[in-house]
Amino acid sequence: MKLPVELLLKAEADFPKNPAQVRSVQSRIVSRSALVLDGLNHLERRRAMIAASARENASLAFERYLGTNDLLPINYLLTGYAQSRAVGRIRYFDKKDRRTAFATGFMVSPELMMTNHHVFPVSDVAEFAALADDAGIEFGYEYDPFGKLGEPVVHALDPEAFLHTSKALDLALVAVRPRDVTGLRDLRDQGYLILNGRLGKAGTGDYATIVQHPDGKEKQIALRNNEIIDNDLPDVLIYKSDTAPGSSGAPVFNNEWQVIALHSSGVAKTDAAGRYLDKSDQVIEVENGRIDESRVVWLSNRGVRVSALMKHLLAPESAVALHPLVQVFSSPAYTDSRPFTTLPRPRILEEPEFRGAPVAASPAGMSPLPASLIEIRVSIGNGPPVVQSIVGETPVQTVSLLTQNEKKLEDAQDYSTCTGFEEEFMGIRIPMPVPSARLRRQLAFLKDAPGSFTLKYHHFSTILHAVRRVPVVSAINVHGKHRYAALGSGTRQDHWLRDSRVDHDAQLDDRWYAKSGFDKGHLSRREDAEWGASLAFAKAAADLTCSYANAVPQVPAFNRAMMGYNGQWGQLEKKLLEAGVKNESAKSARICVFSGPVFLDDDPVYASVQVALGGFKVVAWFNQDGALRATAFHLSQDTLIEGIAFEALNFDKLFKLQQVPLSWVESATGLEFASVLRDADTFSEGNPQADEAALERLVSGGQAHSANAQP
């Protein structure tokens, strides 16, 4: 998600401390009493607040604030879990950035969810619709006590029912639909968090616990290194905590599990020139006044006080205060003090013992549906197995077993032994191409190594475009030896999986391909990876090519040999690679192949994804004299897309199989290839349309020219 620079500048103005000064503040807090740090007036407010809200002996809770008692009651864990049920992962497709955006949000009433303005930087419903598509909040995306990742309960957002934002407070408040997308779960099951607008909920040196969905991952909690280091600002709290990108909009709690702030941003790491740096000290580029939040390093965190939020929402002169959905905040029953313990809370003790398909809730005053009216059907046919639950004659939920099994396989994949594309494979260093700075900003980075973007498999590596959701390049080492007849086409089985090392939303999947009319077109071919010291290793290497991070959409005629165009992409690969390899025995029959799409601004759109109709291949090989050669091709499938239902169909219908200069590929893709390949480029200015002559050149290992080429 993009973060407004002005928000960072505001945080710096609120708390202009460098790392050394932050450490000094923390040392000062440790050495001073609560009375000295907060003053007598705030100490008494804190005492009164604890007495009203503590779910334990109030005197022990007050001792903890004073610093004379570090123990927590055992119900602290259960209370925290109950409160966390109201926290969910916000997810929507950002129409402007053309990528899936993630953040954190939490319910603050039976109907309203709170998050940041910079998550939804809009002022009205029309702007919301122009920004976000399929906006929703997902509850329960977290691990249970047995280590099982739960299936999220998804509720759509309803900005037409209510939407209010405040840029000054980095606040967005939006209505949520009362039933989930399946129609089976009630929003009230999640409970909601009380916003207590009175002062006294936080003290300097208190711990600020944050429940969050960092990077859009499963729900997590920040418990360590999270003390409040500045409690003197009127509208914000400054604290240290284990937050991460995607934590925007998370609730900040005190030790009594009261919400004390809305997590917003913080003070970011900069260099001497004031430029923002990532954890590798690389400059984060500012684009249109916004920077990539995923790369920011936080020196301190900043949360908007609940008291400031409530003052804004309930201001007498404010029109928003008159809205019926906001008036609940001024109700005497809207309180987190102990006398009001019957408020709706997460029904953590009412969860079914076995977490199968949820049972439809009964309307008020009606008996639950008898078991005889609920039917479970399992369908096994030509397609994937499907479980369908039926109430009467109405299907209420469909779950693909194949999807569930694929998710398990994806999570179980072990890439630890994968070394990827080998630079010295041909006895000369040929590295992966380097993305330009502009292209780098659009890449999908590894979740466990945010500074890295190369996915390594056996024999090949790919780099993934997070917006287009396909690779920008796939590079493979191809060996003419160590191959096995047992891995012939008759035994081939492709099982396509997403790569869990990067965000699944940065990859196309079977749901996208299923009705698109496109094939999943390998970039690095399965056949090219079928080699190794053993048959088992060769098969494992080939199987890994069936990764969505190694595929681009291709129309069947372009991808399959049996179609009318005789599979032009496959024919090129066969001639360049298989025939070419046989003539390279002097160099151990080794070649390197780089493949990828060519993106254009006017590429047609299918299912919210722009589909590149052009591609490139760069082949590095040795001729009969042992000299390194490189040949680049541009391929287009424009004329073969008649069966694809694009939202916009506006492009020339020309089929091309064309040799191009390697420099053309670099300018068209934003990839910089090794100079050794540029020096070995076989392209001839007198032969810009090489086609079959270029193929023959590779097959023969010679330097054949077409009839119209200059000698």
Side-chain angles (χ1 to χ4, degrees):
M1 179 168 291
K2 298 294 185 180
L3 195 63
V5 170
E6 61 183 306
L7 196 62
L8 298 180
L9 295 176
K10 189 172 184 180
E12 292 170 19
D14 286 339
F15 193 70
K17 301 286 194 301
N18 60 38
Q21 291 171 322
V22 170
R23 290 191 294 270
S24 177
V25 169
Q26 291 178 291
S27 298
R28 175 179 172 272
I29 290 171
V30 171
S31 63
R32 285 167 171 75
S33 68
L35 178 60
V36 171
L37 292 171
D38 289 333
L40 181 60
N41 288 339
H42 188 76
L43 184 142
E44 291 302 325
R45 284 197 296 262
R46 189 81 185 92
R47 187 200 303 271
M49 181 64 71
I50 289 173
S53 61
R55 293 174 174 84
E56 59 174 314
N57 185 304
S59 62
L60 294 178
F62 188 64
E63 287 177 10
R64 189 180 306 112
Y65 161 67
L66 294 177
T68 59
N69 174 22
D70 288 333
L71 297 177
L72 289 164
I74 193 64
N75 70 346
Y76 174 85
L77 302 174
L78 187 60
T79 303
Y81 175 72
Q83 296 288 74
S84 75
R85 287 289 299 273
V87 181
R89 179 176 71 165
I90 295 173
R91 175 176 176 171
Y92 67 90
F93 181 77
D94 189 321
K95 295 180 180 178
K96 295 181 179 179
D97 288 342
R98 300 199 62 79
R99 65 190 304 172
T100 300
F102 292 103
T104 305
F106 56 101
M107 299 302 300
V108 294
S109 80
E111 297 90 7
L112 299 180
M113 178 209 72
M114 180 173 286
T115 188
N116 292 136
H117 174 270
H118 77 260
V119 173
F120 293 116
V122 300
S123 59
D124 55 36
V125 174
E127 290 183 359
F128 190 99
L131 168 73
D133 195 14
D134 294 330
I137 182 168
E138 303 173 341
F139 299 102
Y141 183 56
E142 60 196 66
Y143 286 100
D144 68 13
F146 303 101
K148 178 182 178 182
L149 187 61
E151 190 71 24
V153 177
V154 184
H155 288 261
L157 303 188
D158 192 3
E160 293 186 356
F162 182 87
L163 174 67
H164 174 74
T165 65
S166 169
K167 186 176 181 180
L169 294 176
D170 198 20
L171 163 69
L173 198 62
V174 60
V176 181
R177 293 188 178 174
R179 307 293 290 184
D180 78 331
V181 293
T182 70
L184 300 175
R185 299 293 292 266
D186 197 309
L187 183 60
R188 291 175 297 178
D189 292 348
Q190 305 305 327
Y192 56 91
L193 303 177
I194 301 295
L195 301 178
N196 186 331
R198 292 183 295 146
L199 296 176
K201 297 184 296 298
T204 305
D206 273 354
Y207 289 103
T209 299
I210 303 179
V211 177
Q212 57 194 301
H213 282 278
D215 294 319
K217 295 178 182 176
E218 59 278 357
K219 190 182 297 178
Q220 298 177 34
I221 182 171
L223 287 172
R224 300 181 179 89
N225 305 318
N226 55 358
E227 66 267 29
I228 296 170
I229 55 179
D230 195 326
N231 191 33
D232 295 332
L233 300 171
D235 293 338
V236 296
L237 291 173
I238 308 297
Y239 45 90
K240 290 285 291 182
S241 190
D242 304 319
T243 60
S247 303
S248 296
V252 185
F253 298 94
N254 62 13
N255 274 336
E256 288 73 49
W257 287 105
Q258 292 176 292
V259 183
I260 58 176
L262 168 65
H263 180 67
S264 175
S265 60
V267 177
K269 180 181 178 181
T270 60
D271 62 11
R275 299 175 300 179
Y276 298 105
L277 302 177
D278 63 17
K279 68 177 185 179
S280 300
D281 289 333
Q282 298 298 307
V283 174
I284 308 173
E285 299 83 1
V286 177
E287 188 174 354
N288 298 323
R290 301 165 77 86
I291 66 171
D292 185 355
E293 183 188 7
S294 67
R295 298 177 61 193
V296 173
V297 176
W298 299 111
L299 303 181
S300 63
N301 290 279
R302 177 179 180 273
V304 183
R305 288 178 178 270
V306 167
S307 55
L309 297 172
M310 294 300 280
K311 181 179 179 181
H312 167 78
L313 292 171
L314 300 179
E317 68 278 7
S318 171
V320 69
L322 301 177
H323 196 285
L325 293 182
V326 174
Q327 288 181 341
V328 67
F329 296 144
S330 57
S331 167
Y334 189 81
T335 176
D336 55 5
S337 61
R338 285 186 296 174
F340 299 91
T341 57
T342 58
L343 285 172
R345 290 290 177 185
R347 304 180 207 170
I348 60 175
L349 299 180
E350 298 180 11
E351 285 291 294
E353 181 178 357
F354 298 102
R355 300 179 68 180
V359 179
S362 302
M366 295 182 63
S367 300
L369 289 169
S372 60
L373 295 182
I374 301 177
E375 178 185 356
I376 305 295
R377 297 177 182 174
V378 179
S379 302
I380 301 178
N382 294 329
V386 167
V387 172
Q388 192 173 62
S389 53
I390 309 291
V391 178
E393 293 299 321
T394 305
V396 294
Q397 187 179 37
T398 300
V399 180
S400 170
L401 294 182
L402 185 58
T403 300
Q404 295 177 0
N405 290 336
E406 286 183 350
K407 180 68 167 59
K408 293 178 181 178
L409 289 173
E410 289 166 348
D411 292 340
Q413 284 293 311
D414 181 8
Y415 302 98
S416 61
T417 62
C418 295
T419 57
F421 177 82
E422 183 183 339
E423 294 183 349
E424 304 286 345
F425 179 71
M426 295 179 64
I428 184 171
R429 184 173 181 270
I430 304 176
M432 290 280 290
V434 178
S436 66
R438 182 174 181 271
L439 179 59
R440 181 188 172 95
R441 291 195 293 268
Q442 302 176 61
L443 300 181
F445 287 78
L446 276 62
K447 292 186 286 189
D448 294 335
S452 302
F453 46 73
T454 302
L455 293 167
K456 296 181 179 181
Y457 302 91
H458 295 313
H459 308 321
F460 74 101
S461 298
T462 73
I463 299 174
L464 197 62
H465 196 293
V467 181
R468 296 288 191 123
R469 299 170 64 187
V470 295
V472 298
V473 66
S474 184
I476 188 168
N477 307 128
V478 186
H479 205 307
K481 299 180 179 179
H482 306 296
R483 293 180 174 272
Y484 302 89
L487 296 178
S489 59
T491 62
R492 172 171 173 171
Q493 289 185 329
D494 289 355
H495 298 290
W496 288 86
L497 300 174
R498 295 169 298 183
D499 193 316
S500 295
R501 292 174 292 180
V502 293
D503 197 319
H504 284 171
D505 291 297
Q507 305 166 67
L508 298 181
D509 56 23
D510 193 56
R511 289 175 299 176
W512 189 91
Y513 279 103
K515 297 181 180 180
S516 69
F518 285 108
D519 279 355
K520 295 181 280 285
H522 285 75
L523 284 181
S524 288
R525 295 194 314 160
R526 181 185 181 98
E527 293 84 353
D528 296 336
E530 285 180 345
W531 62 272
S534 68
L535 185 148
F537 181 85
K539 182 180 184 304
D543 288 344
L544 285 180
T545 63
C546 296
S547 168
Y548 287 107
N550 180 46
V552 293
Q554 290 179 5
V555 294
F558 205 52
N559 189 42
R560 305 180 197 172
M562 74 283 292
M563 301 298 286
Y565 281 83
N566 201 31
Q568 292 289 347
W569 188 290
Q571 285 294 306
L572 175 66
E573 292 173 334
K574 182 176 181 179
K575 290 185 178 181
L576 295 187
L577 305 177
E578 296 173 0
V581 162
K582 294 178 182 178
N583 292 325
E584 293 161 11
S585 57
K587 290 287 186 177
S588 300
R590 299 179 182 219
I591 64 176
C592 293
V593 183
F594 305 86
S595 307
V598 175
F599 300 131
L600 300 176
D601 291 340
D602 60 351
D603 280 334
V605 176
Y606 177 80
S608 300
V609 176
Q610 279 189 287
V611 178
L613 296 181
F616 72 87
K617 278 192 178 292
V618 176
V619 185
W621 49 287
F622 289 108
N623 67 10
Q624 291 178 333
D625 298 327
L628 181 68
R629 294 288 182 261
T631 304
F633 289 91
H634 171 222
L635 305 98
S636 178
Q637 51 187 339
D638 308 27
T639 193
L640 308 177
I641 44 66
E642 296 292 355
I644 310 301
F646 288 115
E647 284 89 338
L649 199 60
N650 182 21
F651 44 84
D652 296 330
K653 297 181 178 180
L654 296 173
F655 181 79
K656 298 166 185 164
L657 172 54
Q658 176 180 343
Q659 187 185 7
V660 294
L662 184 57
S663 58
W664 182 94
V665 175
E666 291 180 311
S667 62
T669 63
L671 295 168
E672 181 182 352
F673 285 83
S675 59
V676 67
L677 293 183
R678 289 195 295 272
D679 294 340
D681 191 1
T682 64
F683 180 81
S684 168
E685 290 294 342
N687 183 26
Q689 196 77 23
D691 290 350
E692 292 300 325
L695 298 178
E696 181 61 29
R697 179 186 309 136
L698 289 181
V699 172
S700 65
Q703 298 294 319
H705 294 278
S706 63
N708 62 353
Q710 297 296 319

